[in-house]
Amino acid sequence: MFTIGCHLSIAKGFAAAARDAGSIGANTFQFFTRNPRGGKAKSLDAGDLAAFADVREQFGIERILAHAPYTLNPSSSKPETRSFALQTLADDLNRMERIMPGQLYNMHPGAHVGQGSEVAIGMIADTLNAVLAPEQTTTLLLETMAGKGSEVGRTFEEIAAIIDLVDLADHVGVCLDTCHVWDGGYDIACNLEGVLEEFDRIIGLERLRAIHLNDSKNPCAAHKDRHEKLGEGCIGFEALAAVVNHPKLRNLPFYLETPHDKLDGYAQEIARLKDARSTSVA
Ligand code: FE
Ligand code: FE
Ligand code: ZN
């Protein structure tokens, strides 16, 4: 089973987003829980959620991935920014239990603004310890980052250090973004095997729960984070096809976050990946 989708808007509701996914050949999708720059989430509509369940059934959508606003910073030096991140994460995790239990919720770990990554890692873990609860069915994912500015989570060591400090670590996993790890200095084009071995040694591959599949506008180790359409960037289509076909990755859900203004662009990438998936596996 190939679980493939892309980032979609939920501005018209969850049922409409699932219909969009079905219309482009996707069987999963990612969405922002609220405005990506933060702010208040729209209240959940019971009618929409019921319709969402029906549309999922229709298109075989068994998994979804939520994405936290990317401006949340649980490792800010400002207490009010940290507390806003905590409130938002707690609210989002509660909403996930109503939207669809047992799913994935991805966040950027944070950025340290002067206080250093060690202090930041402790602050991020404190926030996770405050928002995770044993009865939650949602798994919270930390996304691997490109290392732009003072982003935490560029190295596998930083991600592992956060998880090490979380009490309910079985509620935490990792989302690997191919553009981010590449920009962060992990050469998945020439050495995918070596990068996965390193991930396994430092974090553990059992923690890896989702892949953001993006090409990159910049060379390996550029620390930039500019996504590109598959095959039009520095990683290249062949290397990204190897990611979706890798025996240790192929059962994970894959999400395109490539720059397209129209759904058609995603439909074409999904079709091309389905093709690469079937032809390169004996
Ligand atoms: Fe992200
Ligand atoms: Fe991403
Ligand atoms: Zn990115």
Side-chain angles (χ1 to χ4, degrees), residues 143 177 179-180 214 225 227 257:
E143 181 169 355
D177 186 309
C179 169
H180 296 178
N214 303 306
D225 190 3
H227 300 189
E257 298 177 313

Side-chain angles (χ1 to χ4, degrees), residues 30 67 106 108 143-145 175-178 180 212-214 225 227 255 257:
Q30 174 179 264
H67 196 307
N106 176 57
H108 296 178
E143 181 169 355
T144 59
M145 301 309 292
C175 173
L176 184 145
D177 186 309
T178 54
H180 296 178
H212 283 167
L213 198 69
N214 303 306
D225 190 3
H227 300 189
Y255 299 89
E257 298 177 313

Side-chain angles (χ1 to χ4, degrees), residues 9-10 18 55 74 97 120 126 137 151 198 201 214 226 240 280:
S9 165
I10 54 158
V55 181
E97 298 294 319
D126 287 347
T137 64
E151 276 172 351
E198 194 169 339
R201 183 163 42 81
N214 303 306
R226 303 272 316 279
L240 293 164
S280 56

